[in-house]
Amino acid sequence: MKMQQVSDHCFAVLNEKNRVCDANSGLINRGGGVVIDTQSDLPHARQMIEMFGKVWPAMPKRVVNTHEDGDHVWGNQLFEGAEIIAHKSVPERMKLEAAPEETQQLINGVKDPAKRKFLEEHHPGAAAAGKQLAEDYDLGGVELVPPTTLFEERYELDLDGTEAHLIYVGPCHQVGDTIIHVPKERVVFAGDVLFRQCTPMGWTGSFQQWFQCLDLIDQLNPEVIVPGHGPICGLEGVREMKAYLQYVIEESKGCFADGLTSLDAAKRMEFGPYGDWRAPARLYMNVERAYREFRNDPADAPWDKLATFDAIYTVAKAKGIEAEF
Ligand SMILES: [Zn+2]
């Protein structure tokens, strides 16, 4: 984990391994202090608070959750008394998507020899994902703390003369997707609408909405973007992400027309120029999302998480690479 200053008053804490749950956090050290996203467990959240403490000595008065996924909200409880701001969908969606028990059960499962054996036999992908998570994370003590201030389309903060605009852009990666634009400093905190040098994982929404959101970031013309996952970037990160999604949807169209399942399609498709992004076999999820659109499935159709990990694992094995999530 490292802290990086990205403009006069904007900072990022980056999880450099860049695998699942390695989410970034942001800080604006003006107007009481604003933290953006709170990490995946309490030890990581404490480390983030300590790092930001070097540039903002008090506990920040505000927290923004860019969306409902656990890796962006599981440290909320450490910001006692803070105003926590998110899109209006987030409180309900958090209960569905970020119940810490489910992930903790997987992490504990792989630590128990009998349970691990069962998982390895029946869900080899979930077992591998659990082992990877157990290397870095322990969700012990995490309690879901929902946002206290909800907004619909847009919410503006005046931080002692520096404005921060919260703009709702979902659903493209999750239902609650929000970006934070600091115009004066030409910074965008993008949350998970932008993955950088790692393969995106989209859960709900549509490709169309995702493209629109990336176009919006382009129009805002920031100098620096802090993605939800991966190193900071400029607009080249947005354009690469868009090109990736376009590549996936085009390739998926052909496979769908050939009658392949989404899993077989992901196995057949080349990683192309994206093979050196972290966890390239997460391609499966993006193909499956494209298939859901081709089939006119509801945008928020649920995912079986164990089966999803298994499918990513199967794709990695088919490609002869280490399974990484
Ligand atoms: Zn995330």
Side-chain angles (χ1 to χ4, degrees), residues 67 71-72 192 229:
H67 61 289
D71 53 333
H72 301 259
D192 283 4
H229 296 261

